[in-house]
Amino acid sequence: MNAATQHELSVLTRGKESPLARAHAVGMVTSAEVQLATILTRLHGCADELVQLTAALCFAIGRAGSTCLDLTTAAEQFIDQVLESQDLTADELAAERQALQSAIDWPDPVAWREHLVQQRMLGDEGAEPNSVPMRLVDSLVYLERYWSAEEQVAGLLHERELLSPPAVNEHLLDASLARLPEGTIDDSRQRNGVETAVRSWTSVLAGGPGTGKTSTVVRVLAAVQEQAGATVRVALAAPSGKAASRLYQSVAGQAPQLEAAGALMPAFGAGMTLHRLLGARGRTGEFRHGPTDQLPYDLVVVDEVSMVDLQLFATLLSAVGPSTRLLLVGDPQQLKSISAGSVLADITSSGLTVGGGDPASAVTELVGSYRSEGAIQHLAAAIRAKDADAALDVLAGDSGEVELIDLEITRATTWQDLPQLSSVVAQQWTSLVRAAEAGDATGALRLLDEHRVLCAHRDGLFGVSSWTHHTLDLVRRLRPGFGLGAEFWVGRPLLLTENDATLGLSNGDTGVVVWHDDRLQVALGDEATLRLLSPNLLRGVENLFAMTVHKAQGSQFGHTTVVLPPLGSPLLTHELIYTAVTRAKRRVSIIGSADQLRTAIATESRRASGLASRWRRQNG
């Protein structure tokens, strides 16, 4: 920070002893959030230091994924927020937590709320829309944008619940529910999911990997088509390009089996990202489709809804017309969206009903695994049940599918400290580079997903940056000069970090630089969706030798290596370890101690949201 900015912040925060200045000094709020809060309070003629602090914290809490500031838990949540980005060991984290607790003299939550109630800047739940910049409801403080988004989501869901239900031919529905593709199991929960999707305008299909979500979606498509008679227009979508592609391939792969059993299947196009479905307009954050230009589909299926943030979900609901069925699919125990909101978890706990006077729940949770009863499935089930002893028992077994590698990560750690994994990584990257040099784009892409290192952090000892360095160092020992020199080189793995509607590229897409037709090209997608583009067309790319668990959502890999964050890290949570483990298809390696794993399984992530309680209050 330069001297001019430091001086400006000193003036804005009314001296270094103000609550806002102290919060900024320890990293709880950024300089931009300080300035926004100060300008906001000045515009409303409020010089109150506690209101300034509250406003800055409201801006900061959205950055951390919450839609509101909960006064009762604010102190711990903001300490966690500071510690999330710290490159510290367990002992260093404990000392830093204690220092932060001493550095900020947090107001008593009751006194804090009583003080804010008296401020004209803060309205209550009855204030007119956009008449105040913030609202105080019970112990929750909202910026108006997040209050409005929650209000919109709750209101639109309620409106859809009040609609007259879709017309249902009971005879056809019975036939659809009875029909199963050869070799599948008659699961009452799957049948309930299909029936609920047919009878309601909005339904939720929740469950972990291997519980039959995709096969249920395919049966929903057939049942809706058989109800309609005429051609049903279907959209398949997901938050990321990878997840959208997987949804399409899974549905397309299972549809022929159901057709062979006599079902009528609707036509459906390739999976789309939600941004593409809604018609994102460049980088403006605006969309073509909304309440005045709704989506032209009879059925919209959205997968991986746990990744969808509140604002995007509000846009989606506004764009789905009253005669369009909306099927939301996902796993509420996975990590929440990177941006603010916990939409899927809130909806599954909200009490959403089929509607039209039918009080039956519109949420179906699938629980049984239809994949092979292997160690990965047992481990995921134990984590899902929050049973650390069972998880450790699975990891201690001799299946060869799962392992806990008890390694204390230090600044001297390299792949050489992990000899078995080192061999896996070396084989992956030498084979990938050979495929890329030979112009075998599909082979290189396949090898890219054979093994993936997943981290909670982006930076530091336990983060993507360190494990990227470790992997580059290992590959250079085998292939001197690899990755040195030009920006793009043969075998460079890429993660796209920006959307590009013109090229049909999405944030989160992955690829490999290959030598093809006597020039460098970037292979994107997979065997079914392969594309080759000039690297000069891409903007916003980074190396993909490792990635965060958040970025891995919607993807699957043959073998995942999970680097657990240290004890004391706010990122060491149930959602993180569950999401990481369920990315693997054949093998999981977890680097960390039994204590780290126990802590992760027992710790829920902190994310404040009022959507579920508002829904219950609205419908109570």
Side-chain angles (χ1 to χ4, degrees):
M1 186 185 301
N2 60 37
T5 303
Q6 287 180 328
H7 174 72
E8 183 181 6
L9 284 173
S10 177
V11 172
L12 287 173
T13 56
R14 300 168 60 84
K16 66 180 180 179
E17 294 306 314
S18 74
L20 182 54
R22 292 199 298 273
H24 175 260
V26 298
M28 291 183 177
V29 294
T30 65
S31 57
E33 288 155 356
V34 169
Q35 291 171 321
L36 283 170
T38 308
I39 292 169
L40 185 65
T41 52
R42 282 182 177 176
L43 287 173
H44 287 80
C46 179
D48 187 274
E49 291 184 348
L50 191 51
V51 174
Q52 289 180 342
L53 173 66
T54 303
L57 294 177
C58 281
F59 285 117
I61 205 72
R63 174 167 49 87
S66 293
T67 59
C68 51
L69 173 68
D70 189 340
L71 301 179
T72 63
T73 61
E76 282 303 311
Q77 191 159 3
F78 273 91
I79 289 173
D80 283 353
Q81 193 167 326
V82 173
L83 295 179
E84 280 183 5
S85 60
Q86 300 292 316
D87 177 19
L88 301 172
T89 64
D91 290 342
E92 292 167 340
L93 280 168
E96 183 67 12
R97 182 178 291 277
Q98 187 173 5
L100 287 169
Q101 289 169 337
S102 302
I104 295 293
D105 183 18
W106 286 91
D108 173 75
V110 175
W112 193 353
R113 185 186 186 285
E114 289 176 353
H115 183 81
L116 294 178
V117 165
Q118 303 171 34
Q119 308 301 317
R120 290 182 301 172
M121 266 188 66
L122 285 87
D124 58 19
E125 57 188 332
E128 289 294 317
N130 298 317
S131 62
V132 288
M134 297 188 292
R135 294 185 188 239
L136 174 61
V137 181
D138 299 326
S139 64
L140 306 179
V141 186
Y142 287 87
L143 292 176
E144 183 67 3
R145 64 179 295 216
Y146 290 130
W147 169 269
S148 297
E150 279 193 4
E151 189 78 0
Q152 183 181 8
V153 168
L156 288 171
L157 284 173
H158 186 55
E159 287 177 14
R160 291 179 63 81
E161 199 178 38
L162 293 176
L163 293 169
S164 297
V168 175
N169 182 313
E170 299 294 342
H171 175 73
L172 290 175
L173 179 57
D174 287 343
S176 297
L177 294 174
R179 185 184 297 114
L180 289 168
E182 184 178 352
T184 60
I185 302 170
D186 184 6
D187 186 311
S188 61
R189 288 180 181 259
Q190 283 198 30
R191 288 168 60 90
N192 182 75
V194 175
E195 184 174 5
T196 300
V198 170
R199 293 191 185 280
S200 57
W201 293 114
T202 310
S203 58
V204 178
L205 190 61
T211 54
K213 293 194 299 294
T214 301
S215 60
T216 306
V217 168
V218 176
R219 293 176 67 185
V220 168
L221 266 59
V224 170
Q225 175 61 69
E226 289 162 350
Q227 287 289 318
T231 301
V232 170
R233 298 164 298 175
V234 176
L236 303 177
S240 71
K242 198 85 167 181
S245 176
R246 280 188 58 220
L247 173 63
Y248 169 75
Q249 290 178 39
S250 297
V251 171
Q254 294 192 31
Q257 294 178 332
L258 203 56
E259 288 178 313
L264 295 176
M265 291 298 300
F268 50 88
M272 295 180 281
T273 63
L274 277 176
H275 280 76
R276 183 179 174 193
L277 173 72
L278 295 170
R281 290 174 169 161
R283 303 184 186 183
T284 64
E286 297 180 350
F287 298 90
R288 170 190 168 190
H289 292 292
T292 60
D293 186 1
Q294 295 184 316
L295 294 167
Y297 298 104
D298 302 298
L299 171 63
V300 174
V301 180
V302 182
D303 197 9
E304 299 287 356
V305 179
S306 63
M307 298 168 61
V308 182
D309 65 73
L310 178 68
Q311 299 278 1
L312 184 59
F313 189 72
T315 301
L316 171 67
L317 279 183
S318 73
V320 176
S323 60
T324 298
R325 286 181 174 87
L326 176 62
L327 175 57
L328 305 172
V329 185
D331 188 346
Q333 293 210 35
Q334 285 191 23
L335 284 169
K336 311 301 186 293
S337 62
I338 293 177
S339 299
S342 49
V343 169
L344 183 62
D346 287 342
I347 292 176
T348 53
S349 65
S350 68
L352 182 69
T353 68
V354 170
D358 187 343
S361 174
V363 178
T364 301
E365 185 166 6
L366 305 178
V367 293
S369 177
Y370 290 87
R371 294 181 184 168
S372 61
E373 286 296 310
I376 294 175
Q377 284 71 42
H378 289 307
L379 177 59
I383 295 170
R384 189 178 180 88
K386 302 181 176 64
D387 188 339
D389 288 337
L392 288 167
D393 285 344
V394 176
L395 287 162
D398 57 1
S399 68
E401 288 185 41
V402 298
E403 61 179 339
L404 179 64
I405 302 172
D406 192 351
L407 174 71
E408 182 179 356
I409 295 175
T410 69
R411 301 190 195 285
T413 298
T414 69
W415 279 118
Q416 279 65 45
D417 299 302
L418 299 156
Q420 290 184 318
L421 280 177
S422 175
S423 176
V424 169
V425 173
Q427 177 63 39
Q428 176 193 17
W429 289 104
T430 53
S431 298
L432 185 150
V433 174
R434 283 198 298 267
E437 289 174 335
D440 181 4
T442 56
L445 289 170
R446 178 182 55 78
L447 286 161
L448 180 63
D449 286 346
E450 274 295 296
H451 175 257
R452 186 65 48 83
V453 178
L454 301 181
C455 307
H457 300 267
R458 283 186 57 84
D459 301 309
L461 286 178
F462 306 87
V464 171
S465 59
S466 285
W467 291 88
T468 293
H469 171 77
H470 297 331
T471 304
L472 276 168
D473 182 63
L474 176 62
V475 179
R476 284 172 185 158
R477 292 172 185 269
L478 302 169
R479 300 182 66 93
F482 179 76
L484 298 176
E487 179 182 3
F488 294 97
W489 67 87
V490 175
R492 182 188 177 189
L494 298 176
L495 174 69
L496 274 59
T497 60
E498 294 186 24
N499 295 319
D500 189 329
T502 303
L503 294 175
L505 302 177
S506 302
N507 180 1
D509 286 351
T510 59
V512 179
V513 179
V514 300
W515 186 255
H516 187 81
D517 288 343
D518 296 325
R519 65 183 185 276
L520 288 178
Q521 296 195 59
V522 178
L524 296 160
D526 51 37
E527 187 173 359
T529 61
L530 174 65
R531 298 177 63 191
L532 292 169
L533 294 175
S534 166
N536 297 322
L537 295 175
L538 304 181
R539 60 170 187 256
V541 297
E542 58 187 42
N543 286 335
L544 185 58
F545 294 99
M547 71 193 309
T548 63
V549 179
H550 251 304
K551 286 284 189 181
Q553 282 184 272
S555 299
Q556 282 197 306
F557 314 103
H559 177 185
T560 61
T561 293
V562 185
V563 182
L564 292 181
L567 287 169
S569 169
L571 297 177
L572 190 61
T573 65
H574 170 262
E575 292 89 345
L576 179 113
I577 185 63
Y578 176 75
T579 303
V581 164
T582 54
R583 298 309 90 205
K585 292 187 285 188
R586 296 191 304 276
R587 186 178 174 191
V588 174
S589 301
I590 300 174
I591 301 175
S593 67
D595 285 345
Q596 284 171 273
L597 187 67
R598 284 185 180 279
T599 300
I601 291 174
T603 304
E604 297 285 345
S605 64
R606 300 174 187 264
R607 184 164 288 202
S609 167
L611 180 58
S613 60
R614 185 182 303 191
W615 171 264
R616 287 192 290 268
R617 185 184 303 128
Q618 186 180 75
N619 293 273

